[in-house]
């Protein structure tokens, strides 16, 4: 037989595009359209409905960037359409290639009831099936003219990302506003041909099944009268019935499809627009659930449910009904799909606390899965947090984006720093926006790495990022692939149903130990420094507010601010969303975030001040409150008193210029360039700075990645570096017996850096306070600390502990980690000596090693990433003044690094009062850190203490109580008793503890 395959395939494409798809709506009449543009921000629905509208027509331009236009559409169903299915087709000027990234609208009845949304891939509103003819129709469309920021020419700087700079040029043009007859037979024919045609393209040319499909398509197209598609569609479908009814092989891969719309809580749109995106998407999904019996839809992010509950209660009522029916599934159990690299220990825990509690309170749903399809890598401390929240599964997709190394598993156990293992799945479909294309289904089956021992994978199905969700077309295609020869089996299932099946069939999956590092988007650890500082400072202010409010409640009857803390926590957790905290959102988002963090700080400082004054009482004695996890200057962790300062500091001129600072523990030499050329540990008799090198060296690189400007830093940035050694001034600005400070000022480019280097009495630590007035573009600023340490690995703090990363690049996996995340410290050590570099607000860093030709010694260089200046999506990223605090601690152990990390992030507070304040609890070992002291969330007055082993070893110690407790019980993160936990008792005011490395324990005390 002659090979006519290419001919038939080309015929199929043209006939589908030009004749069959257009015939879905064979006849139409125009609707009458009027419009009103809301001034400023979106208005309440009632105001939009009542506004005075002006006539507009198809072809008219509309929609300034970020504006809201209320369209009123009216019309009458022609009498001759009686008995037929009729829909409105509402095209606001959509580009079907970009669902979720442009204009969209929610459709209301005249009484304000939301019906469904229209967007580029969902332009219809059902009138009747069938209609009687003569019906009057009226709808109101709340249309958002969100500008396209990531279009055909991506990553170009644009001012459209903030309403303050976007201008008022119309973005769209009305394309179609009609009533139309909907031809179900033609629509089904389209689905038949798409499924058969897309499957055909994925099958081997040598196989018989491909040719069976080809011949069926040819017969089908022969049966279509191109002059009467509607009259011949049903007959044409009969030629495909045979090939569509052939069942899939019993051994075929099995895909659990779950309806999904990954809606970024902010990204290329502001938070306020996400509120509306969620309402639009959930309206469409509840609409689909009413007509599609097998369909299951899942949505994560408790915050998004809370938004529609507050702003669109009519939509929320439909969601609650669908959840109760088990068709609309709350997933993930987190407040938002957060970043997991940068949130601190407590913040990561509270993501689950607030998310799971919302789903329990609102729906009675207990989530057992963490659902994070788009998060940019996963910290090694996360598995035990998931388990401590009462969950046991994790789903993500993003690791498939890694640039260099391909992850070896799709289903596996992920082991965290404490040994906790979580059953984890990476969908092999390699997208969280599956649209049921044949190539997606074929890729999922062929790509699945666990063949032979497992057969199930999951496919999140629906348009996402900017929302939209699953469409009726996707459901139609999935129905045909439920069991189809040559294809994987496709079944709509909930995440729970998938995980139960996957876990049951894979009794001994492989194990991956340590972080799930994404080899992409590494610059998200640095972009938008103010957002990152706001997060870090908010986390520690919340720690202080809970600690002092709980202490004051127990000691002085202080009213514990339950509602305020709950609200503030949710605000901070929202801003940990994986495009806000990483700095990859538009300017509008980060401008608002800065204001929000300032308001959070003001409110928390007010709570802290009120609680401390209640504790201090009346008096004139100056008390220092210590909210850090360890004692300092003689003041217990969690207590207050008069500090004890021992020792003195001296300053002398240095030969060759500069200054020498000495406190008897540490001698620091700052040269004439303002660089630290020596940090000598006097007790150890050991130099910290590598020979011939200088620490606290600011370095600047060009930084223009190949794509994803705010997200990425490409390794070639290292090829060019400028050491900032020119100096304006080096001056001793403060010299007391207890503290000496040297100020270094240097100018570079259009920017200026002012640093104050301080050595205090009794401390083996050099504090560095850096202020940068930053006016560079597409540059990367680092602070380098080359130390004389020979180590093949280093420790970086993560949630409830630390992980080790190699300092070498033996393999491509190690080389790919050229930029990584730490929280408060990085620690390097060789036997007998270590060095810590601690910080108050940075996350990105790199560590490299080199062998010195002079003495064959090893120089290991740690560099903090301070600032970037990408131009997309915010063209003015990080411009202006920034302040960073970090410190070098020679001779530090890992436990010392933990202590210094807390110290720099939780400064002392001074209050006048009558006397010392004893802490509510005291850990008996420096290796045990208390991460939270608070009152129980249920308002019972119980005291909750969360602690963890921080050194990476075993700890046998005790927790001493500063209040009377009648009982104690170990709980999960939601403060519910654990059935399998060790039994703890309070004996003589203490609780004995025996902790594994990095073990996390939450204790609840009844007073």
């Amino acid at each position: 037989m002659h090979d006519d395959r290419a001919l038939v395939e080309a015929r199929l494409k043209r006939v589908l595009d030009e004749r069959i798809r257009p015939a879905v709506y064979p006849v139409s009449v125009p609707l009458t359209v009027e419009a009103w543009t809301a001034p400023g921000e979106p208005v309440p629905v009632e105001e939009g409905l009542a506004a005075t509208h002006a006539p507009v027509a198809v072809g008219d331009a509309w929609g300034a960037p970020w504006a809201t236009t209320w369209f009123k559409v009216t019309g009458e169903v022609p009498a001759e359409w009686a008995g037929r299915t009729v829909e409105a087709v509402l095209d606001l000027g959509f580009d079907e290639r970009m669902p979720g990234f442009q204009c969209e609208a929610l459709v209301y009845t005249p009484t304000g009831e939301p019906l469904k949304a229209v967007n580029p891939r969902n332009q219809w509103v059902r009138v009747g099936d069938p209609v009687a003819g003569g019906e009057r129709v009226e709808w109101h469309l709340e249309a958002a003219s969100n500008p396209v920021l990531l279009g055909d020419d991506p990553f170009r700087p644009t001012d459209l990302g903030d309403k303050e700079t976007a201008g008022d040029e119309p973005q769209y043009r009305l394309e179609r506003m009609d009533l139309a007859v909907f031809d179900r037979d033609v629509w089904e024919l389209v689905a038949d041909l798409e499924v058969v045609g897309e499957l055909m393209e994925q099958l081997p040319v040598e196989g018989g099944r491909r040719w069976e499909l080809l011949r069926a398509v040819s017969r089908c197209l022969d049966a279509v009268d191109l002059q009467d598609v509607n009259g011949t569609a049903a007959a044409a479908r009969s030629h495909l019935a045979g090939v569509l009814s052939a069942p899939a092989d019993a051994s075929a891969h099995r895909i659990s499809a779950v309806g999904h719309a990954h809606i970024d809580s902010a990204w290329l749109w502001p938070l306020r627009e996400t509120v509306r995106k969620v309402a639009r998407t959930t309206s469409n999904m509840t609409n689909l659930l009413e007509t599609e019996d097998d369909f299951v839809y899942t949505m994560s992010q408790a915050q998004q449910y809370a938004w529609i509950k507050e702003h669109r209660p009519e939509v929320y009522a439909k969601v609650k009904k669908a959840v109760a029916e088990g068709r609309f599934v709350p997933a993930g159990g987190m407040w938002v799909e957060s970043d997991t690299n940068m949130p601190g220990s407590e913040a990561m825990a509270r993501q689950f606390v607030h998310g799971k509690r919302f789903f329990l309170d609102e729906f009675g749903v207990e989530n057992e899965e963490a659902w994070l399809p788009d998060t940019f890598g996963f910290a090694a401390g996360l598995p035990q947090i998931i388990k401590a929240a009462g969950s046991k599964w994790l789903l993500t997709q993003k690791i498939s984006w890694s640039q260099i190394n391909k992850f070896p598993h799709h289903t596996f156990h992920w082991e965290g720093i404490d040994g906790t293992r979580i059953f984890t799945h990476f969908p092999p479909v390699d997208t969280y926006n599956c649209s049921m294309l044949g190539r997606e289904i074929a890729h999922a089956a062929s790509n699945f790495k666990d063949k032979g021992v497992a057969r199930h994978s999951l496919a999140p199905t629906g348009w996402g990022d900017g929302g939209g969700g699953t469409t009726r077309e996707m459901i139609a295609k999935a129905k045909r692939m439920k069991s189809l020869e040559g294809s994987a089996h496709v079944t709509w299932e909930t995440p729970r149903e998938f995980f139960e099946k996957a876990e049951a069939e894979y009794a001994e999956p492989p194990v991956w130990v340590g972080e799930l590092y994404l080899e992409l988007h590494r610059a998200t650890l640095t972009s938008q420094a103010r957002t990152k500082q706001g997060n870090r400072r908010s986390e520690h202010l919340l720690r202080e507010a809970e600690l002092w409010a709980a202490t004051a409640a127990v000691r002085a009857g202080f009213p514990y601010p339950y509602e305020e803390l709950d609200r503030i926590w949710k605000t901070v957790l929202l801003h940990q969303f994986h495009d806000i905290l990483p700095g990859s959102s538009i300017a509008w988002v980060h401008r608002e975030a800065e204001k929000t963090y300032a308001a959070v700080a003001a409110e928390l400082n007010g709570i802290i001040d009120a609680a401390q004054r209640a504790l201090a009482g009346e008096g004139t004695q100056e008390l220092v409150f210590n909210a850090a996890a360890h004692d300092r200057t003689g003041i217990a962790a969690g207590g207050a008193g008069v500090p004890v300062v021992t020792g003195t500091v001296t300053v002398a001129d240095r030969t060759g210029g500069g200054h020498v600072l000495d406190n008897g523990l540490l001698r620091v030499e700052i040269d004439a360039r303002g660089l630290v050329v020596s940090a000598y540990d006097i007790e150890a008799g050991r130099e910290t700075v590598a020979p011939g090198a200088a620490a606290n060296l600011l370095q600047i690189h060009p930084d223009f990645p190949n794509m994803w400007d705010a997200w990425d830093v490409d390794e070639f940035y290292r090829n060019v570096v400028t050491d900032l050694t020119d100096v304006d001034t080096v001056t001793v600005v403060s010299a007391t017996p207890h503290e000496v400070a040297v100020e270094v000022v240097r100018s570079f480019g259009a920017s200026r850096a002012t640093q104050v280097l301080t050595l205090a009495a009794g401390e083996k630590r050099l504090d560095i306070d850096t202020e940068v007035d930053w006016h560079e573009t597409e540059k990367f600023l680092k602070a380098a600390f080359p130390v004389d340490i020979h180590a093949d690995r280093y420790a970086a703090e993560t949630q409830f502990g630390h992980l080790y990363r190699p300092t070498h690049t033996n393999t491509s996996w190690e080389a790919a980690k050229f930029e990584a995340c730490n929280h408060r410290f990085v620690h390097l050590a060789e036997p007998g000596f270590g060095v810590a570099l601690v910080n108050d607000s940075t996350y990105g860093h790199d560590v490299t090693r080199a062998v010195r030709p002079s003495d064959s010694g090893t120089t290991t260089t740690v560099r903090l990433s301070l600032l970037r200046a990408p131009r997309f999506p915010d063209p003015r990223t990080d411009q202006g003044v920034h302040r960073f605090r970090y410190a070098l601690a020679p001779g530090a152990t890992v436990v010392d690094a933990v202590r210094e990390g807390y110290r720099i992030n939780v400064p002392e507070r001074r209050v006048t009062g009558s006397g010392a304040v004893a802490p509510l609890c005291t850990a008996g070992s420096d290796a045990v850190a208390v991460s939270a002291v608070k009152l129980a969330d249920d308002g019972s007055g119980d005291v909750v203490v969360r602690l963890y082993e921080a050194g990476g070893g075993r700890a046998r110690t005790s927790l001493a109580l500063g209040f009377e407790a009648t009982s104690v019980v170990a709980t999960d993160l939601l403060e519910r008793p654990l059935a399998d936990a060790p039994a703890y008792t309070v004996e003589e005011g203490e609780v004995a503890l025996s902790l594994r490395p990095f073990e996390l324990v939450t204790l609840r005390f009844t007073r």
Side-chain angles (χ1 to χ4, degrees):
M1 181 179 290
H2 295 296
D3 184 351
D4 60 350
R5 177 175 56 84
L7 193 67
V8 175
E9 290 172 355
R11 180 190 182 194
L12 170 61
K13 183 180 186 308
R14 184 176 186 193
V15 172
L16 255 178
D17 288 346
E18 297 185 21
R19 297 302 172 88
I20 300 179
R21 288 194 183 98
V24 170
Y25 293 112
V27 60
S28 62
V29 296
L31 289 159
T32 299
V33 187
E34 299 171 278
W36 172 74
T37 299
E41 284 296 277
V43 300
V45 174
E46 304 77 38
E47 187 176 341
L49 296 177
T52 301
H53 295 67
V56 294
V58 168
D60 286 354
W62 72 280
W66 307 113
T68 300
T69 301
W70 283 85
F71 291 104
K72 179 181 179 181
V73 295
T74 56
E76 182 175 320
V77 177
E80 61 268 25
W81 290 1
R84 305 182 76 175
T85 301
V86 175
E87 294 180 345
V89 182
L90 307 174
D91 185 345
L92 303 178
F94 298 130
D95 182 338
E96 291 190 358
R97 299 171 303 164
M98 292 183 284
F101 290 90
Q102 52 178 281
C103 61
E104 45 194 311
L106 186 56
V107 182
Y108 295 89
T109 67
T111 60
E113 178 189 356
L115 290 177
K116 67 180 296 290
V118 290
N119 61 52
R121 294 298 184 109
N122 202 324
Q123 301 178 17
W124 57 275
V125 178
R126 180 64 57 86
V127 176
D129 183 20
V131 297
E135 292 95 334
R136 292 286 304 171
V137 298
E138 178 181 330
W139 297 294
H140 294 256
L141 281 63
E142 182 190 21
S145 49
N146 302 330
V148 175
L149 299 175
L150 194 66
D152 292 333
D153 193 12
F155 316 123
R156 289 297 178 98
T158 174
D159 286 328
L160 290 173
D162 194 333
K163 64 176 181 177
E164 294 185 354
T165 58
D168 56 8
E169 187 72 22
Q171 301 289 293
Y172 299 99
R173 197 171 296 276
L174 288 180
E175 187 69 26
R176 183 178 184 184
M177 307 292 273
D178 290 343
L179 286 178
V181 170
F182 173 75
D183 191 322
R184 168 67 69 172
D185 285 334
V186 176
W187 186 84
E188 297 283 5
L189 176 59
V190 170
D192 288 347
L193 285 170
E194 286 182 346
V195 168
V196 172
E198 290 169 9
L199 173 60
M200 184 169 63
E201 291 176 355
Q202 302 305 313
L203 295 174
V205 175
E206 299 79 13
R209 175 63 168 165
R210 178 159 183 164
W211 291 91
E212 288 176 2
L213 296 174
L214 187 81
R215 295 299 164 223
V217 167
S218 184
R219 292 191 298 270
C220 173
L221 296 179
D222 288 343
V224 176
D225 183 346
L226 299 185
Q227 311 308 313
D228 184 18
V229 173
N230 301 90
T232 56
R237 289 191 68 204
S238 67
H239 293 283
L240 298 175
V243 293
L244 284 170
S245 62
D249 296 338
S251 61
H253 186 68
R254 297 181 180 273
I255 294 176
S256 297
V258 58
H260 184 242
H262 167 68
I263 304 178
D264 287 309
S265 288
W267 180 26
L268 303 180
W269 45 86
L271 288 167
R272 68 91 154 140
E273 192 55 34
T274 313
V275 175
R276 303 199 295 177
K277 284 178 174 288
V278 174
R280 296 178 199 123
T281 298
T282 52
S283 294
N284 280 354
M285 297 305 97
T286 54
N287 183 281
L288 269 183
L289 289 168
E290 291 174 1
T291 59
E292 302 292 344
D293 293 339
D294 294 334
F295 178 52
V296 176
Y297 180 74
T298 193
M299 187 171 91
S300 67
Q301 306 192 73
Q303 171 70 83
Q304 296 189 356
Y305 290 82
W307 275 334
I308 52 174
K309 179 182 180 181
E310 177 183 357
H311 297 282
R312 293 291 186 271
E314 303 89 345
V315 176
Y316 190 66
K318 295 179 181 180
V319 169
K320 286 203 77 168
K321 178 177 180 292
V323 171
E325 294 168 350
R327 308 278 309 286
F328 194 117
V329 183
M334 296 176 69
W335 191 248
V336 294
E337 289 182 11
S338 73
D339 180 80
T340 75
N341 285 314
M342 290 176 282
S345 303
E346 277 302 310
M348 199 75 256
R350 305 301 174 95
Q351 286 285 352
F352 288 91
V353 169
H354 287 283
K356 293 196 72 168
R357 187 171 287 142
F358 183 93
F359 289 153
L360 283 164
D361 291 346
E362 291 289 319
F363 310 121
V365 170
E366 172 82 27
N367 294 99
E368 292 191 286
E369 76 290 329
W371 183 275
L372 291 163
D374 190 30
T375 297
F376 309 153
F378 299 86
L382 188 58
Q384 74 164 330
I385 296 173
I386 294 173
K387 182 180 179 181
S391 299
K392 59 183 180 180
W393 302 314
L394 169 66
L395 177 135
T396 185
Q397 179 67 62
K398 201 69 172 186
I399 300 299
S400 68
W401 286 41
S402 283
Q403 289 177 312
I404 300 168
N405 299 286
K406 201 163 183 65
F407 198 80
H409 319 296
H410 280 110
T411 304
F412 59 99
H413 272 142
W414 178 29
E415 182 178 316
I417 56 174
D418 74 316
T420 297
R421 291 182 176 180
I422 296 296
F423 189 82
T424 301
H425 180 66
F426 294 172
V429 70
D430 280 351
T431 178
Y432 44 79
N433 295 325
C434 175
S435 58
M436 285 293 140
L437 292 171
R439 67 173 179 269
E440 294 172 332
I441 302 305
H443 178 72
S446 63
N447 186 43
F448 188 55
K449 291 183 172 60
D450 304 290
K451 300 181 188 76
V453 287
R455 191 180 296 171
H456 286 81
S457 71
L458 187 143
T461 302
W463 300 112
D465 291 317
T470 317
T471 65
R472 61 185 180 182
E473 289 77 15
M474 296 174 194
I475 294 173
K477 294 173 81 169
K479 188 178 299 183
R480 287 158 174 78
M481 290 185 284
K482 187 170 185 177
S483 179
L484 179 62
E485 183 184 353
S487 171
H489 295 269
V490 178
T491 307
W492 295 105
E493 291 186 306
T494 67
R496 177 182 293 274
E497 288 171 331
F498 161 73
F499 274 111
E500 287 176 343
K501 290 180 179 179
E503 200 168 26
E505 76 175 359
Y506 209 178
E508 296 184 8
V511 178
W512 181 271
V513 178
E515 67 182 327
L516 295 171
Y517 180 91
L518 177 64
E519 296 172 359
L520 193 74
H521 293 358
R522 302 168 182 88
T524 58
L525 302 172
T526 305
S527 296
Q528 298 287 0
R530 293 184 186 90
T531 299
K532 290 170 170 58
Q533 289 181 331
N535 173 73
R536 177 77 71 85
R537 290 166 186 172
S538 295
E539 289 178 350
H540 288 90
L541 285 169
L542 278 160
R543 169 193 176 84
E544 290 191 79
E546 288 182 339
L547 168 65
W548 300 126
T551 305
V554 172
R555 295 277 167 70
F558 181 78
Y560 192 79
Y562 292 101
E563 293 182 3
E564 293 88 341
L565 289 172
D566 179 78
R567 171 176 46 79
I568 295 169
W569 263 118
K570 289 173 179 175
T571 298
V572 173
L573 297 177
L574 165 60
H575 286 79
Q576 292 177 339
F577 179 74
H578 65 252
D579 277 307
I580 303 179
L581 179 54
S584 47
S585 288
I586 55 175
W588 188 347
V589 173
H590 293 290
R591 172 172 56 81
E592 287 191 333
E594 187 174 357
K595 293 179 181 178
T596 298
Y597 284 129
V600 162
E603 189 168 4
L604 289 173
N605 278 316
I607 292 171
I608 292 165
D609 182 67
Q612 289 180 338
R613 291 187 183 282
L615 286 165
E618 297 295 328
T620 59
Q621 186 178 36
E622 185 178 68
L623 303 174
V624 171
F625 281 76
N626 175 23
H630 303 83
D631 298 354
R632 62 181 175 194
T633 60
I635 301 170
V642 179
V644 178
V645 179
T646 59
T648 59
V649 188
T650 62
V651 59
D653 292 337
R654 177 180 176 274
T655 302
H659 308 280
V660 179
L661 286 55
D662 192 327
N663 67 359
L665 301 173
L666 188 63
R667 184 169 62 248
V668 176
E669 294 187 31
I670 302 168
D671 72 5
R673 301 169 298 171
L675 302 178
V676 176
V677 292
S678 175
Y680 188 78
D681 183 335
I682 296 171
E683 181 183 13
R686 172 79 180 251
E687 177 59 62
T688 305
V689 179
N696 192 38
L697 171 65
L698 296 178
Q699 297 179 306
I700 197 165
H701 298 266
D703 182 19
F704 188 63
N706 288 345
M707 58 193 306
W708 298 109
D709 295 38
W711 294 257
D712 282 356
V713 57
D714 290 329
E715 191 173 14
F716 56 72
Y717 89 93
R718 291 180 170 182
N719 295 348
V720 180
V721 59
T722 301
D723 293 343
L724 302 181
T725 57
D726 292 341
V727 67
D728 299 344
T729 60
V730 179
T731 311
V732 176
V733 292
S734 173
T736 71
H738 298 302
E739 185 176 276
V740 173
V742 175
E743 181 186 75
V744 179
V745 180
R746 64 181 84 247
S747 302
F748 57 97
S751 303
R752 180 183 178 92
T754 302
Q755 296 187 293
V756 178
L757 287 67
T758 303
L759 185 64
E763 303 287 356
K764 201 191 303 185
R765 177 190 70 244
L766 177 67
D767 289 311
I768 303 166
D769 193 321
T770 298
E771 182 179 279
V772 183
D773 190 4
W774 180 246
H775 298 284
E776 309 305 306
T777 58
E778 296 169 350
K779 297 290 176 64
F780 198 178
L781 182 67
K782 295 248 183 182
F785 291 82
V787 296
D788 190 10
I789 292 282
H790 177 78
D792 60 2
R793 65 176 189 171
Y794 72 96
E797 189 182 35
T798 188
Q799 293 97 2
F800 298 113
H802 56 267
L803 75 155
Y804 287 100
R805 296 191 184 98
T807 60
H808 56 76
T809 55
N810 283 357
T811 71
S812 59
W813 292 87
E814 293 147 357
K817 296 182 180 181
F818 60 82
E819 185 79 6
C821 183
N822 68 285
H823 287 185
R824 290 168 295 210
F825 73 79
V826 170
H827 182 260
L828 291 138
E830 60 187 43
F833 189 78
V835 177
L837 186 61
V838 299
N839 73 85
D840 78 335
S841 58
T842 62
Y843 295 94
H845 70 275
D846 67 81
V847 178
T848 55
R849 66 201 301 269
V851 174
R852 301 185 293 270
S854 59
D855 62 356
S856 297
T858 302
T859 296
T860 306
T861 302
V862 182
R863 299 197 304 166
L864 300 181
S865 303
L866 300 183
L867 289 167
R868 297 184 69 234
R871 300 180 66 208
F872 182 87
D874 176 1
R876 285 168 284 277
T877 300
D878 281 334
Q879 299 300 297
V881 176
H882 302 267
R883 184 179 177 188
F884 308 93
R885 295 180 66 239
Y886 39 90
L888 181 69
T893 65
V894 165
V895 172
D896 293 332
V898 174
R899 182 186 65 249
E900 296 298 342
Y902 272 103
R903 179 203 61 80
I904 199 171
N905 281 274
V906 189
E908 297 173 340
R909 292 177 182 263
R910 296 177 182 271
V911 178
T912 56
S914 59
V917 178
L920 281 186
C921 62
T922 303
S925 167
D926 280 351
V928 176
V930 174
S931 67
V933 177
K934 59 191 288 294
L935 295 193
D937 290 342
D938 61 8
S940 63
D942 290 356
V943 175
V944 173
V945 178
R946 188 151 32 248
L947 48 84
Y948 64 103
E949 197 289 316
R954 294 187 178 267
R956 295 180 64 87
T957 185
S958 63
L959 185 72
L961 303 183
F963 63 97
E964 293 292 329
T966 59
S967 64
V968 58
V969 62
T971 73
D972 65 7
L973 295 178
L974 278 70
E975 301 168 6
R976 303 175 297 190
L978 290 170
D980 57 350
Y984 292 96
T985 58
V986 180
E987 296 183 4
E988 298 182 357
E990 292 190 349
V991 178
L993 299 172
S994 179
L995 302 179
R996 302 186 317 273
F998 302 128
E999 183 178 0
L1000 165 65
V1001 174
T1002 303
L1003 300 175
R1004 179 169 179 156
F1005 295 90
T1006 302
R1007 288 191 282 147

